[in-house]
Amino acid sequence: QKEVEQNSGPLSVPEGAIASLNCTYSDRVSQSFFWYRQYSGKSPELIMSIYSNGDKEDGRFTAQLNKASQYVSLLIRDSQPSDSATYLCAVYNNNDMRFGAGTRLTVKP
Amino acid sequence: GAVVSQHPSWVICKSGTSVKIECRSLDFQATTMFWYRQFPKQSLMLMATSNEGSKATYEQGVEKDKFLINHASLTLSTLTVTSAHPEDSSFYICSASLVGGTEAFFGQGTRLTVV
Protein backbone atom coordinates (compact mmCIF):
# COMPACT_ATOMS: atom_id res chain seq x y z
CA GLN A 1 0.00 0.00 0.00
CA LYS A 2 1.33 3.39 -0.95
CA GLU A 3 1.87 5.58 2.09
CA VAL A 4 2.98 9.10 2.75
CA GLU A 5 3.97 9.80 6.33
CA GLN A 6 4.23 13.15 8.05
CA ASN A 7 4.60 14.19 11.66
CA SER A 8 1.18 15.62 12.48
CA GLY A 9 2.64 18.18 14.86
CA PRO A 10 1.73 20.70 15.96
CA LEU A 11 5.04 22.32 15.18
CA SER A 12 5.51 25.67 16.82
CA VAL A 13 8.31 28.09 15.94
CA PRO A 14 8.89 31.73 16.82
CA GLU A 15 8.60 34.40 14.18
CA GLY A 16 11.80 34.70 12.16
CA ALA A 17 12.94 31.14 12.86
CA ILE A 18 13.35 28.28 10.39
CA ALA A 19 10.51 25.77 10.25
CA SER A 20 11.44 22.26 9.10
CA LEU A 21 8.77 19.90 7.83
CA ASN A 22 9.48 16.28 6.98
CA CYS A 23 7.83 13.60 4.88
CA THR A 24 8.62 10.00 3.99
CA TYR A 25 6.99 7.87 1.34
CA SER A 26 6.82 4.16 0.67
CA ASP A 27 6.50 3.91 -3.13
CA ARG A 28 10.05 3.78 -4.47
CA VAL A 29 9.06 4.59 -8.03
CA SER A 30 7.36 7.86 -7.13
CA GLN A 31 8.16 10.51 -9.68
CA SER A 32 7.11 13.86 -8.32
CA PHE A 33 6.80 15.47 -4.95
CA PHE A 34 4.83 18.46 -3.80
CA TRP A 35 4.21 20.59 -0.78
CA TYR A 36 0.80 22.15 -0.33
CA ARG A 37 -0.33 24.65 2.26
CA GLN A 38 -3.86 24.47 3.60
CA TYR A 39 -5.47 27.11 5.74
CA SER A 40 -8.38 26.04 7.91
CA GLY A 41 -11.56 25.60 5.89
CA LYS A 42 -9.78 26.25 2.60
CA SER A 43 -8.55 24.12 -0.24
CA PRO A 44 -4.83 23.26 -0.45
CA GLU A 45 -2.58 25.51 -2.52
CA LEU A 46 0.63 24.39 -4.17
CA ILE A 47 3.75 26.04 -2.80
CA MET A 48 6.60 23.85 -4.01
CA SER A 49 7.27 21.00 -6.38
CA ILE A 50 10.45 18.95 -6.69
CA TYR A 51 11.32 16.18 -9.09
CA SER A 52 15.02 15.40 -8.69
CA ASN A 53 17.37 14.79 -5.79
CA GLY A 54 18.79 17.81 -4.04
CA ASP A 55 17.51 21.19 -3.00
CA LYS A 56 15.11 23.54 -4.72
CA GLU A 57 14.72 27.06 -3.45
CA ASP A 58 11.85 29.49 -4.04
CA GLY A 59 11.92 32.61 -1.94
CA ARG A 60 11.75 31.65 1.72
CA PHE A 61 10.93 28.03 0.86
CA THR A 62 13.42 25.25 0.19
CA ALA A 63 12.35 21.74 -0.73
CA GLN A 64 14.80 18.87 -0.32
CA LEU A 65 14.47 15.46 -1.93
CA ASN A 66 16.39 12.28 -1.26
CA LYS A 67 14.97 9.44 -3.32
CA ALA A 68 17.37 6.86 -1.90
CA SER A 69 16.03 7.55 1.58
CA GLN A 70 12.51 8.17 0.27
CA TYR A 71 12.45 11.43 2.08
CA VAL A 72 11.31 14.92 1.19
CA SER A 73 11.38 18.00 3.37
CA LEU A 74 10.35 21.64 3.33
CA LEU A 75 12.24 24.43 5.05
CA ILE A 76 10.62 27.78 5.66
CA ARG A 77 13.08 30.53 6.46
CA ASP A 78 12.19 33.71 8.33
CA SER A 79 8.86 32.20 9.36
CA GLN A 80 5.95 34.59 9.56
CA PRO A 81 2.66 34.30 11.47
CA SER A 82 0.95 34.12 8.08
CA ASP A 83 2.79 30.85 7.46
CA SER A 84 0.69 29.23 10.19
CA ALA A 85 -1.23 26.51 8.38
CA THR A 86 -1.26 22.80 7.74
CA TYR A 87 1.39 21.65 5.27
CA LEU A 88 0.62 18.62 3.16
CA CYS A 89 3.22 16.49 1.48
CA ALA A 90 2.05 14.89 -1.76
CA VAL A 91 3.65 12.16 -3.81
CA TYR A 92 2.72 11.52 -7.43
CA ASN A 93 3.27 8.48 -9.59
CA ASN A 94 1.48 7.40 -12.74
CA ASN A 95 -1.79 9.26 -12.30
CA ASP A 96 -1.90 8.59 -8.59
CA MET A 97 -1.52 11.46 -6.11
CA ARG A 98 -1.26 10.58 -2.42
CA PHE A 99 -1.18 12.95 0.51
CA GLY A 100 0.31 12.76 3.95
CA ALA A 101 -1.83 13.60 6.96
CA GLY A 102 -0.29 17.06 7.12
CA THR A 103 1.79 18.90 9.69
CA ARG A 104 0.19 21.78 11.51
CA LEU A 105 2.59 24.69 11.81
CA THR A 106 2.12 27.62 14.19
CA VAL A 107 4.41 30.63 13.94
CA LYS A 108 4.23 32.70 17.10
CA PRO A 109 4.77 36.48 16.90
CA GLY B 1 -0.86 28.93 -12.26
CA ALA B 2 -3.63 26.83 -13.70
CA VAL B 3 -7.14 27.53 -12.43
CA VAL B 4 -9.60 24.90 -11.28
CA SER B 5 -13.12 26.03 -10.47
CA GLN B 6 -15.34 23.95 -8.23
CA HIS B 7 -19.04 24.59 -7.77
CA PRO B 8 -20.91 24.95 -5.51
CA SER B 9 -18.65 26.08 -2.68
CA TRP B 10 -21.17 24.93 -0.13
CA VAL B 11 -24.46 23.07 -0.17
CA ILE B 12 -27.00 21.95 2.39
CA CYS B 13 -29.32 19.14 1.38
CA LYS B 14 -31.88 16.88 2.95
CA SER B 15 -31.09 13.29 3.75
CA GLY B 16 -31.99 11.01 0.83
CA THR B 17 -31.47 13.58 -1.89
CA SER B 18 -28.63 13.74 -4.43
CA VAL B 19 -26.06 16.48 -4.85
CA LYS B 20 -23.89 17.19 -7.87
CA ILE B 21 -20.52 18.91 -7.58
CA GLU B 22 -18.75 20.27 -10.65
CA CYS B 23 -15.04 20.63 -11.20
CA ARG B 24 -13.79 22.63 -14.17
CA SER B 25 -10.31 23.36 -15.41
CA LEU B 26 -10.65 26.89 -16.75
CA ASP B 27 -7.45 27.52 -18.66
CA PHE B 28 -6.01 24.09 -19.37
CA GLN B 29 -7.01 20.62 -20.42
CA ALA B 30 -7.04 18.05 -17.67
CA THR B 31 -6.73 14.41 -18.62
CA THR B 32 -6.96 13.35 -15.01
CA MET B 33 -9.06 14.66 -12.17
CA PHE B 34 -8.95 13.54 -8.59
CA TRP B 35 -11.73 13.66 -6.05
CA TYR B 36 -10.94 13.90 -2.35
CA ARG B 37 -12.93 14.02 0.83
CA GLN B 38 -11.69 15.69 3.97
CA PHE B 39 -13.30 15.36 7.37
CA PRO B 40 -12.57 18.00 10.04
CA LYS B 41 -8.96 18.00 11.21
CA GLN B 42 -8.10 15.08 8.96
CA SER B 43 -6.08 14.80 5.80
CA LEU B 44 -7.37 14.57 2.27
CA MET B 45 -8.55 11.08 1.43
CA LEU B 46 -8.51 10.14 -2.22
CA MET B 47 -11.92 8.87 -3.29
CA ALA B 48 -11.41 8.28 -6.98
CA THR B 49 -9.34 9.13 -10.00
CA SER B 50 -11.11 9.94 -13.23
CA ASN B 51 -9.66 10.02 -16.70
CA GLU B 52 -11.46 11.76 -19.52
CA GLY B 53 -13.63 9.38 -21.49
CA SER B 54 -13.22 6.37 -19.24
CA LYS B 55 -14.66 5.03 -16.02
CA ALA B 56 -13.35 6.36 -12.76
CA THR B 57 -11.06 4.29 -10.58
CA TYR B 58 -12.37 4.20 -7.03
CA GLU B 59 -10.33 3.73 -3.90
CA GLN B 60 -11.03 0.78 -1.67
CA GLY B 61 -14.00 1.42 0.56
CA VAL B 62 -15.55 4.10 -1.67
CA GLU B 63 -18.92 3.05 -3.06
CA LYS B 64 -18.97 3.72 -6.78
CA ASP B 65 -22.77 3.50 -6.91
CA LYS B 66 -23.08 6.16 -4.24
CA PHE B 67 -20.41 8.53 -5.52
CA LEU B 68 -20.97 8.82 -9.25
CA ILE B 69 -18.14 10.39 -11.17
CA ASN B 70 -18.38 11.57 -14.75
CA HIS B 71 -15.46 13.00 -16.73
CA ALA B 72 -17.03 13.63 -20.09
CA SER B 73 -14.60 16.28 -21.32
CA LEU B 74 -11.06 17.48 -20.76
CA THR B 75 -12.32 20.42 -18.74
CA LEU B 76 -15.18 19.04 -16.66
CA SER B 77 -15.66 16.31 -14.10
CA THR B 78 -18.67 15.89 -11.84
CA LEU B 79 -19.19 14.06 -8.58
CA THR B 80 -22.75 13.15 -7.63
CA VAL B 81 -23.43 12.07 -4.09
CA THR B 82 -26.55 9.95 -4.37
CA SER B 83 -29.01 9.37 -1.55
CA ALA B 84 -26.93 11.53 0.75
CA HIS B 85 -26.86 10.83 4.47
CA PRO B 86 -25.56 12.94 7.37
CA GLU B 87 -22.37 10.87 7.48
CA ASP B 88 -21.61 12.07 3.95
CA SER B 89 -21.25 15.60 5.30
CA SER B 90 -17.69 16.59 4.52
CA PHE B 91 -15.42 18.87 2.53
CA TYR B 92 -15.12 17.55 -1.03
CA ILE B 93 -12.22 18.76 -3.12
CA CYS B 94 -11.29 18.10 -6.72
CA SER B 95 -7.95 18.54 -8.38
CA ALA B 96 -6.90 18.39 -11.98
CA SER B 97 -3.64 17.46 -13.70
CA LEU B 98 -2.29 19.11 -16.80
CA VAL B 99 -2.06 17.05 -19.95
CA GLY B 100 1.42 15.54 -19.92
CA GLY B 101 2.15 17.18 -16.59
CA THR B 102 2.29 15.94 -13.07
CA GLU B 103 1.24 18.87 -10.93
CA ALA B 104 -2.30 18.91 -9.64
CA PHE B 105 -4.26 22.08 -9.03
CA PHE B 106 -7.12 22.19 -6.59
CA GLY B 107 -10.60 23.56 -6.80
CA GLN B 108 -11.93 25.67 -3.96
CA GLY B 109 -13.70 22.73 -2.36
CA THR B 110 -17.36 22.07 -1.61
CA ARG B 111 -18.62 21.87 1.92
CA LEU B 112 -21.55 19.46 1.95
CA THR B 113 -23.91 19.35 4.89
CA VAL B 114 -26.64 16.73 4.90
CA VAL B 115 -29.45 17.37 7.35
Side-chain angles (χ1 to χ4, degrees):
Chain A
Q1 185 171 350
K2 302 171 187 175
E3 293 181 352
V4 180
E5 301 284 345
Q6 287 183 258
N7 187 329
S8 61
L11 173 65
S12 181
V13 301
E15 183 174 358
I18 295 175
S20 177
L21 306 164
N22 304 315
C23 173
T24 59
Y25 59 94
S26 63
D27 189 351
R28 278 195 175 277
V29 298
S30 297
Q31 301 164 326
S32 311
F33 308 85
F34 307 92
W35 283 99
Y36 288 84
R37 177 174 61 198
Q38 186 177 25
Y39 293 110
S40 181
K42 301 293 185 181
S43 200
E45 56 179 328
L46 179 68
I47 54 173
M48 286 287 286
S49 59
I50 186 165
Y51 305 102
S52 55
N53 283 328
D55 295 359
K56 179 182 177 182
E57 187 174 320
D58 183 1
R60 296 186 295 110
F61 299 97
T62 299
Q64 299 173 318
L65 174 62
N66 184 325
K67 290 186 178 180
S69 300
Q70 296 174 234
Y71 173 92
V72 59
S73 67
L74 179 70
L75 298 177
I76 306 174
R77 290 182 299 281
D78 189 23
S79 297
Q80 303 296 308
S82 59
D83 295 327
S84 298
T86 296
Y87 288 80
L88 301 168
C89 170
V91 176
Y92 180 96
N93 179 41
N94 195 27
N95 270 356
D96 188 308
M97 177 83 90
R98 300 282 165 165
F99 285 84
T103 297
R104 187 156 57 89
L105 171 67
T106 301
V107 181
K108 295 185 176 180
Chain B
V3 179
V4 175
S5 176
Q6 189 173 338
H7 178 82
S9 57
W10 62 271
V11 58
I12 301 173
C13 71
K14 290 185 177 180
S15 186
T17 60
S18 296
V19 174
K20 180 185 283 189
I21 302 170
E22 290 187 349
C23 181
R24 293 180 184 273
S25 54
L26 297 185
D27 52 0
F28 68 99
Q29 292 184 326
T31 51
T32 305
M33 288 188 174
F34 305 91
W35 286 96
Y36 297 89
R37 180 168 51 184
Q38 187 176 36
F39 292 107
K41 298 187 178 181
Q42 295 187 24
S43 187
L44 284 78
M45 298 302 297
L46 180 65
M47 298 176 67
T49 302
S50 74
N51 293 295
E52 183 264 340
S54 62
K55 291 183 179 180
T57 301
Y58 289 81
E59 293 298 297
Q60 193 172 10
V62 178
E63 300 173 58
K64 62 180 180 181
D65 294 329
K66 180 172 181 64
F67 298 99
L68 303 178
I69 292 172
N70 183 283
H71 193 165
S73 76
L74 284 171
T75 59
L76 174 64
S77 177
T78 60
L79 167 67
T80 302
V81 183
T82 63
S83 186
H85 291 285
E87 57 264 31
D88 297 324
S89 299
S90 186
F91 192 43
Y92 292 85
I93 309 173
C94 73
S95 71
S97 282
L98 294 161
V99 173
T102 56
E103 292 182 22
F105 298 90
F106 284 88
Q108 303 95 314
T110 298
R111 188 161 300 284
L112 170 64
T113 302
V114 184
V115 296

